[in-house]
């Protein structure tokens, strides 16, 4: 991904407002954030049903209010290790646009933190070096206190296949 | 009613009208001297013209008028119905459809060309089309007349809906001599008057040689909401109607502004008598209007969803109740179970429509294709009353068009070839539907030349689908025509097989969780059968456990369940067959397929499933039992998982996946083939 394209995506993401309201959550010690508008609900853990033969990144489905929705694990997209659920683990249900159709997806998280507001000026495009993760999976990084909050690019993550990642983990 | 766009309502009704005209015309092709059909077509055209004018579709009304005139002449015996005339009106009918859909678009010369054709078909006499009313009026003087007293009132909001009462009056006047009297008694005092509302009802005395149905046709678009009474009266009654009370409306009044009439005018017009006005249209059309309710499909889908959720909730309830000792709870639970079952069945029926609606549109296609290809084709339809879910019907329309087109394009020979082959000159294409268990089988059969295996093989080899000389069974060879990319533009014309978009057909059918079978005998014809589940929303399933996961197998596919004896299990390490009443049935160990990583149960079971022609056993750990399954589709993220056709929610709220039997059988055959190769 070229620096120009990354910058452009970064601009698009922030262009509509000076500030954006986000929900932050933890995954393997990193802090991530999702735009609050796409979050439908935060759920306690539910019984999961494995889908044999699917990509490890979306290896199971859950019953969300009578709808069967996929449960995705962003850790596998980012090449992190899947860890055991803890007492703090929650599912976040989001609605994203997949191939032109609004789709509900559950995301595993280790812990859900808070809803907060991030300023546009605080965001930075992901650096071209020094990143462990695929740059196109990240919309931007926002510095807060001593650490970075990662805003994942959900469109990129959900529209690509994750076979390779799955094989690694 | 008032929230509906009147133009949209007109379009729906016009579409039905056009369909009726088309059906009439197609029937007429075979029986040119059938008076009833001529009348039916005429009435359809007349209605379309009248309501078109009423809703502001002027171009449509003007165009339709010419066709109506032509048919009127046939009706009066001035000209004979010929196949040229029918063909011309059929073609004109397409133009009308276009005029309904895009009244403002520039249709250029199409209209003129069609009219020229029409005129040629009815002879030079029709060159000067008469005015709207003239033919009827002329006729009315020489034929026996009936006198009718017609009273009607429209709902107060009808003008807001786009109904123009003057249009109705004009149409009545077209039927014959008319005296019209307005009943203005309902007009409120000026301060209570809403200018957009209609307060007037009419009392019309009509002398006409037309029959009763012509009057009903005038009101056909407003019949549902209005009050209408039509009585036949003696000629003398009309004559004695007091002149002071009747007010003949001259033709010029048609252009006068419509009601409301000023309140001051009220006293002059008293209602003749206080007879309660009631609707009494003829039984047939009246009954139809009252018994059928138009419901948008998405509302039915919503209702279906709710019923689905109810069924899930009910099964949770009965699970809880069965674990409880509370008698009252258990009896309520049973009651709810019965009710939700009945509700489910009622719901299913609501969505069912006869395949006749699907088949009827093929008459036109076949008619057109016959003209295009120069082949003589008989279309036979069977089992038209078989009912299928509406969604299924809609989704099947395109694949069936493909299949019928293919049968005619590639299957049927031209008459000369047929005669040379000792067959009848006319080729037959049979569309049939029948129900078999939880499935409906729709087949397209022709008595043409059949699929040419050599050509299929040659094509498959040249496009790299199979290796040259690769041995294939006949069914496998025929399946090749479903391969994507089998049909390329270049291949369509010179290939006698059926290559056109068959991959699309297969995909659609599989999306409906159906299957396709082909039978083709060289020289004698081919039959393509589509096996489609009756409904898409709820199925009966067999709930099984594999490892820790639970899965649903559609009950319609289950043939039987057996125990996999330890002996068989051990013996089958080298081969995966069981012997079932002297036939070998390959089986799949779902535990291996799903990589559950668990140890098998001691008493494993084999569920034998069938897709009609093939049987495969599925080895599971436990059979839990019947389960009424509300099918939930899976998201796009799981599109690549073909093994499952959907998911369902069990009584405890957890999700179970529904096995796609077709894919499993295919997988089983593949495994079997590999074993065979491995020897």
């Amino acid at each position: 991904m070229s620096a120009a394209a990354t910058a452009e995506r970064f601009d698009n993401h922030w262009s509509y407002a000076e500030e954006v309201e986000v929900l932050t959550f933890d995954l393997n010690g990193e802090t991530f954030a999702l735009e609050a508008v796409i979050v439908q609900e935060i759920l306690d853990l539910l019984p999961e049903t494995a889908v044999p033969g699917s990509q490890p990144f979306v290896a199971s489905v859950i019953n969300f209010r009578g709808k069967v929705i996929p449960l995705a694990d962003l850790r596998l997209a980012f090449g992190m290790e899947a860890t055991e659920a803890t007492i703090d683990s929650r599912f976040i249900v989001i609605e994203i646009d997949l191939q032109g159709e609004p789709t509900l997806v559950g995301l595993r998280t280790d812990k859900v933190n808070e809803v907060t507001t991030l300023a546009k000026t605080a965001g930075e495009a992901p650096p071209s070096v020094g990143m462990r993760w695929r740059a196109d999976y990240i919309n931007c990084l926002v510095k807060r206190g001593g650490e970075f909050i990662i805003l994942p690019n959900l469109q990129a993550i959900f529209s690509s296949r994750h076979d390779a990642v799955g094989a690694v983990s | 009613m008032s929230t509906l766009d009147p133009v949209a309502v007109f379009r729906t009704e016009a579409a039905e009208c056009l369909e009726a005209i088309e059906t009439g015309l197609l029937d007429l092709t075979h029986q040119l001297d059938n008076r009833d059909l001529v009348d039916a077509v005429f009435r359809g055209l007349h209605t379309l013209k009248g309501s078109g004018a009423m809703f502001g579709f002027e171009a449509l009304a003007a165009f339709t008028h010419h066709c109506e005139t032509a048919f009127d002449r046939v009706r009066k015996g001035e000209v004979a119905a010929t196949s040229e005339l029918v063909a011309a009106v059929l073609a004109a009918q397409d133009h009308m459809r276009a005029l309904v859909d895009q009244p403002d678009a520039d249709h250029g010369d199409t209209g003129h060309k069609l009219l020229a054709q029409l005129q040629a078909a009815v002879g030079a006499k029709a060159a000067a089309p008469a005015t709207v009313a003239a033919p009827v009026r002329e006729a009315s003087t020489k034929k026996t007349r009936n006198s009718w007293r017609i009273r009607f009132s429209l709902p107060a909001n009808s003008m807001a809906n786009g109904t123009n009462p003057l249009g109705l009056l004009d149409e009545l006047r077209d039927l014959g001599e008319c005296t019209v009297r307005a009943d203005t008694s309902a007009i409120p005092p000026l301060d209570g008057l809403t200018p957009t509302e209609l307060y007037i009802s009419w009392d019309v005395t009509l002398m006409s040689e037309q029959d009763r149905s012509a009057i009903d046709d005038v009101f056909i678009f407003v019949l549902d909401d209005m009050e209408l009474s039509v009585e036949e009266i003696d000629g003398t009654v009309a004559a004695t109607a007091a002149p002071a009370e009747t007010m003949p409306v001259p033709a010029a009044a048609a252009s006068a502004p419509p009601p409301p009439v000023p309140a001051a005018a009220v006293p002059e017009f008293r209602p003749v008598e206080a007879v309660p006005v009631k609707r009494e249209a003829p039984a047939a059309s009246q009954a139809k209007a009252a018994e059928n309710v138009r419901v948008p499909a998405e509302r039915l889908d919503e209702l279906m969803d709710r019923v689905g959720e109810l069924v899930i909730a009910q099964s949770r309830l009965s699970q809880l109740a069965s674990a409880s000792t509370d008698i009252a709870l258990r009896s309520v639970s049973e009651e709810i179970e019965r009710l939700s079952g009945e509700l489910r069945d009622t719901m299913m029926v609501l969505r069912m429509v006869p395949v006749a609606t699907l088949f009827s549109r093929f008459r036109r296609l076949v008619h057109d294709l016959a003209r295009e290809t120069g082949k003589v084709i008989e279309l036979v339809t069977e089992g038209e009353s078989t009912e299928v879910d509406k969604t299924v019907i809609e989704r099947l329309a395109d694949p069936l068009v493909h299949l019928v087109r293919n049968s005619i394009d590639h299957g049927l020979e031209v008459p000369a070839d047929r005669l040379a082959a000792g067959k009848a000159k006319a080729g037959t294409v049979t569309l049939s539907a029948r129900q078999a268990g939880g499935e409906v089988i729709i087949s397209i059969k022709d008595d043409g030349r059949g699929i040419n295996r050599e050509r299929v093989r040659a094509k498959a080899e040249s496009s790299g689908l199979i290796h040259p000389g690769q041995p294939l069974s006949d069914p496998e060879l025929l399946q090749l025509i479903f391969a994507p990319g089998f049909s390329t533009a270049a291949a369509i014309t010179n290939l006698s097989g059926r290559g056109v978009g068959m991959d699309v057909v297969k995909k659609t059918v599989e999306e409906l969780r159906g299957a396709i079978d082909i039978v083709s005998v060289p020289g004698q014809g081919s039959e393509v059968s589509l096996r489609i589940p009756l409904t898409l929303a709820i199925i009966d399933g067999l709930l099984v456990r594999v490892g820790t996961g639970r899965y649903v197998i559609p009950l319609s596919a289950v043939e039987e369940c057996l125990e996999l004896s330890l002996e068989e299990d051990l013996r089958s390490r080298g081969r995966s067959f069981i012997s079932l009443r002297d036939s070998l049935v390959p089986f799949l160990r779902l535990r291996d397929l799903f990589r559950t990583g668990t140890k098998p149960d001691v008493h494993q079971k084999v569920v034998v499933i069938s897709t009609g022609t093939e049987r495969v056993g599925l080895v599971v750990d436990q059979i839990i039992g019947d389960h009424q399954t509300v099918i939930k589709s899976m998201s796009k993220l799981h599109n690549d998982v073909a093994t499952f056709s959907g998911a369902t929610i069990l009584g405890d709220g957890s999700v179970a996946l529904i096995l796609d039997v077709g894919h499993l059988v295919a997988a089983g055959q593949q495994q079997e083939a590999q074993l065979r190769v491995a020897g």
Side-chain angles (χ1 to χ4, degrees):
Chain A
M1 168 104 4
S2 73
T6 308
E8 186 192 72
R9 203 180 54 243
F10 167 72
D11 285 345
N12 281 342
H13 183 72
W14 291 92
S15 60
Y16 54 86
E18 288 295 309
E19 290 187 329
V20 61
E21 204 177 16
V22 296
L23 175 70
T24 62
F25 60 93
D26 291 351
L27 273 181
N28 285 23
E30 300 282 352
T31 304
F32 287 77
L34 295 172
E35 278 175 76
V37 287
I38 66 166
V39 175
Q40 304 289 307
E41 204 155 326
I42 298 163
L43 303 171
D44 285 336
L45 298 190
L46 293 170
E48 298 166 26
T49 301
V51 181
S54 62
Q55 309 171 40
F57 164 65
V58 281
S60 52
V61 290
I62 53 171
N63 167 13
F64 173 63
R65 301 192 183 291
K67 292 193 180 76
V68 175
I69 67 169
L71 185 62
D73 196 337
L74 288 185
R75 288 175 299 197
L76 298 180
F78 282 102
M80 299 174 173
E81 265 175 40
T83 49
E84 288 292 308
T86 66
I87 194 165
D88 288 329
S89 298
R90 298 286 182 276
F91 296 154
I92 299 177
V93 179
I94 58 169
E95 188 180 271
I96 57 167
D97 190 79
L98 280 186
Q99 296 159 38
E101 253 178 53
T103 309
L104 291 172
V105 180
L107 297 178
R108 289 178 198 278
T109 67
D110 290 341
K111 188 181 179 190
V112 174
N113 296 321
E114 55 179 352
V115 175
T116 183
T117 307
L118 297 181
K120 184 175 177 176
T121 47
E124 289 174 29
S128 51
V129 290
M131 287 276 298
R132 277 186 291 147
W133 306 314
R134 285 177 61 168
D136 60 327
Y137 281 0
I138 296 173
N139 252 329
C140 68
L141 301 172
V142 176
K143 196 158 191 260
R144 194 180 58 174
E147 54 174 13
F148 280 100
I149 297 175
I150 304 155
L151 273 91
N153 182 351
L154 295 174
Q155 280 303 334
I157 293 171
F158 282 104
S159 54
S160 63
R161 293 184 55 88
H162 297 271
D163 292 342
V165 179
V168 171
S169 63
Chain B
M1 197 61 194
S2 57
T3 54
L4 287 176
D5 174 13
V7 171
V9 173
F10 167 71
R11 287 211 166 103
T12 325
E13 310 256 342
E16 275 173 20
C17 204
L18 280 165
E19 223 159 84
I21 295 172
E22 186 176 279
T23 314
L25 286 169
L26 289 169
D27 286 336
L28 203 56
T29 345
H30 302 293
Q31 348 171 9
L32 284 171
D33 48 357
N34 187 326
R35 295 273 315 173
D36 290 346
L37 288 173
V38 173
D39 283 349
V41 172
F42 171 79
R43 264 211 305 280
L45 290 166
H46 179 75
T47 309
L48 188 68
K49 179 190 81 176
S51 47
M54 199 161 85
F55 284 91
F57 288 73
E58 300 299 343
L60 172 74
F63 180 79
T64 311
H65 170 69
H66 296 294
C67 298
E68 187 200 348
T69 311
F71 256 85
D72 194 39
R73 291 168 54 107
V74 178
R75 229 161 56 108
K76 297 207 184 95
E78 290 172 26
V79 291
T82 56
S83 51
E84 287 77 38
L85 172 65
V86 173
V89 181
L90 259 180
Q93 193 242 128
D94 286 337
H95 185 59
M96 292 175 202
R97 202 159 274 166
L99 287 170
V100 170
D101 293 339
Q102 297 162 305
D104 302 324
D106 180 20
H107 297 283
D109 293 336
T110 327
H112 292 120
K113 231 164 54 197
L114 288 166
L115 288 181
Q117 260 177 37
L118 188 70
Q119 284 179 2
V122 288
K125 272 207 232 161
T131 58
V132 182
V136 184
R137 282 214 173 130
E138 270 165 31
S140 68
T141 53
K142 50 191 176 199
K143 291 199 180 169
T144 47
R145 297 195 204 177
N146 297 319
S147 299
W148 305 94
R149 164 162 289 176
I150 304 156
R151 293 156 191 274
F152 69 96
S153 62
L154 297 166
N157 63 353
S158 34
M159 290 202 294
N161 280 343
T163 307
N164 183 355
L166 288 180
L168 297 171
L169 291 172
D170 280 344
E171 278 203 63
L172 282 178
R173 265 198 300 273
D174 287 347
L175 296 177
E177 262 174 54
C178 233
T179 41
V180 179
R181 207 185 54 79
D183 175 0
T184 51
S185 59
I187 298 177
L190 201 53
D191 52 357
L193 192 81
T194 314
T196 52
E197 298 222 326
L198 180 61
Y199 300 102
I200 300 172
S201 57
W202 285 269
D203 192 349
V204 181
T205 315
L206 170 70
M207 306 267 275
S208 167
E209 105 283 6
Q210 302 267 15
D211 60 10
R212 170 69 192 266
S213 58
I215 300 171
D216 290 321
D217 282 351
V218 170
F219 295 104
I220 198 156
F221 281 96
V222 284
L223 199 59
D224 285 351
D225 300 315
M226 69 180 300
E227 290 186 4
L228 171 67
S229 102
V230 182
E231 317 165 16
E232 192 160 4
I233 47 173
D234 240 3
T236 50
V237 177
T240 54
E245 287 187 326
T246 43
M247 185 182 73
V249 179
S255 56
V261 171
V266 173
E268 288 175 37
F269 304 94
R270 286 265 148 249
V272 188
E273 58 218 79
V275 179
V277 188
K278 61 177 198 282
R279 267 167 59 178
E280 43 162 83
S285 70
Q286 161 95 41
K288 256 192 181 167
E291 281 169 15
N292 293 330
V293 181
R294 247 176 240 282
V295 180
E298 62 263 35
R299 282 199 199 158
L300 276 187
D301 291 345
E302 270 172 39
L303 186 57
M304 191 72 219
D305 273 357
R306 293 293 101 75
V307 171
E309 281 173 47
L310 179 71
V311 169
I312 291 167
Q314 176 271 317
S315 85
R316 295 183 72 165
L317 175 66
S318 56
Q319 212 167 59
L320 289 175
S322 66
S324 155
T325 51
D326 188 336
I327 300 290
L329 175 65
R330 295 177 79 141
S331 91
V332 168
S333 163
E334 269 166 33
E335 185 75 6
I336 302 267
E337 184 173 345
R338 182 181 63 79
L339 285 172
S340 76
E342 286 171 4
L343 190 57
R344 182 194 89 140
D345 292 346
T346 314
M347 188 62 227
M348 301 274 75
V349 176
L350 279 190
R351 295 164 54 100
M352 299 297 238
V353 282
V355 286
T357 57
L358 181 62
F359 284 180
S360 62
R361 58 183 97 171
F362 288 104
R363 302 184 57 196
R364 180 66 190 274
L365 178 73
V366 170
H367 179 267
D368 290 354
L369 282 174
R371 287 178 83 91
E372 236 171 70
T373 58
K375 296 174 183 174
V376 188
I377 309 163
E378 288 279 341
L379 178 72
V380 179
T381 52
E382 289 166 1
E384 287 174 296
S385 58
T386 312
E387 295 198 324
V388 188
D389 192 296
K390 193 174 183 311
T391 336
V392 176
I393 290 223
E394 279 161 11
R395 307 250 299 261
L396 273 183
D398 285 348
L400 278 184
V401 169
H402 261 306
L403 292 173
V404 170
R405 196 172 262 283
N406 278 355
S407 272
I408 292 170
D409 268 359
H410 305 304
L412 292 184
E413 311 91 332
V414 292
D417 290 357
R418 288 187 66 89
L419 291 173
K423 296 184 186 178
K425 186 176 159 205
T428 308
V429 174
T430 310
L431 267 177
S432 72
R434 65 191 168 87
Q435 201 180 327
E439 290 184 320
V440 62
I441 299 173
I442 295 178
S443 81
I444 300 94
K445 193 164 92 183
D446 66 66
D447 62 350
R449 55 170 84 91
I451 296 175
N452 185 329
R453 268 74 168 175
E454 286 75 43
R455 292 250 181 103
V456 172
R457 176 176 278 277
K459 173 71 182 106
E461 284 176 1
S462 71
S463 58
L465 283 168
I466 53 169
H467 305 300
Q470 181 177 341
L472 287 174
S473 68
D474 197 51
E476 282 172 324
L477 188 70
L478 292 183
Q479 283 295 321
L480 284 175
I481 62 175
F482 292 115
F486 182 81
S487 66
T488 55
I492 295 168
T493 45
N494 56 18
L495 189 80
S496 63
R498 291 146 204 271
V500 188
M502 288 295 266
D503 54 328
V504 181
V505 173
K506 188 176 188 198
K507 193 162 159 275
T508 313
V509 170
E510 282 177 352
E511 276 170 7
L512 292 168
R513 294 198 310 278
I516 307 184
D517 302 322
I518 307 183
V519 179
S520 178
V521 183
Q524 289 182 29
S526 313
E527 177 167 9
V528 181
S529 306
L530 313 181
R531 305 160 58 86
I532 309 288
L534 278 184
T535 177
L536 295 176
I538 297 183
I539 58 165
D540 281 319
L542 188 69
L543 190 62
V544 299
R545 185 175 59 79
V546 179
T548 52
R550 283 174 295 177
Y551 302 90
V552 175
I553 305 174
L555 209 56
S556 58
V558 174
E559 292 220 319
E560 57 190 296
C561 301
L562 331 155
E563 187 148 331
L564 182 68
S565 66
L566 206 60
E567 187 187 310
E568 284 262 21
D569 191 20
L570 289 174
R571 191 154 31 120
S572 65
R573 295 265 176 247
R575 57 181 177 82
S576 294
F577 298 114
I578 48 168
S579 165
L580 184 66
R581 287 186 295 276
D582 296 334
S583 65
L584 281 186
V585 176
F587 64 77
L588 290 166
R589 293 170 193 277
L590 292 187
R591 217 180 38 258
D592 296 348
L593 197 67
F594 297 163
R595 300 203 179 94
T596 57
T598 54
K599 283 197 168 162
D601 275 25
V602 187
H603 300 291
Q604 294 182 79
K605 306 287 187 297
V606 183
V607 180
V608 180
I609 55 170
S610 151
T611 56
T613 46
E614 308 292 336
R615 285 195 296 179
V616 168
L618 302 175
V619 181
V620 303
D621 285 325
Q622 187 195 351
I623 293 174
I624 301 173
D626 285 1
H627 183 77
Q628 206 174 69
T629 301
V630 181
I631 300 171
K632 306 273 176 180
S633 55
M634 311 247 276
S635 80
K636 288 202 156 78
L637 291 174
H638 287 127
N639 267 357
D640 52 340
V641 190
T643 332
F644 306 105
S645 57
T648 188
I649 294 168
L650 299 177
D652 61 2
S654 65
V655 178
L657 302 175
I658 301 167
L659 295 179
D660 185 320
V661 170
H663 276 101
L664 281 172
V665 171
Q669 285 168 335
Q670 220 168 20
Q671 203 183 50
E672 191 188 357
Q674 282 166 3
L675 282 169
R676 220 187 293 138
V677 172

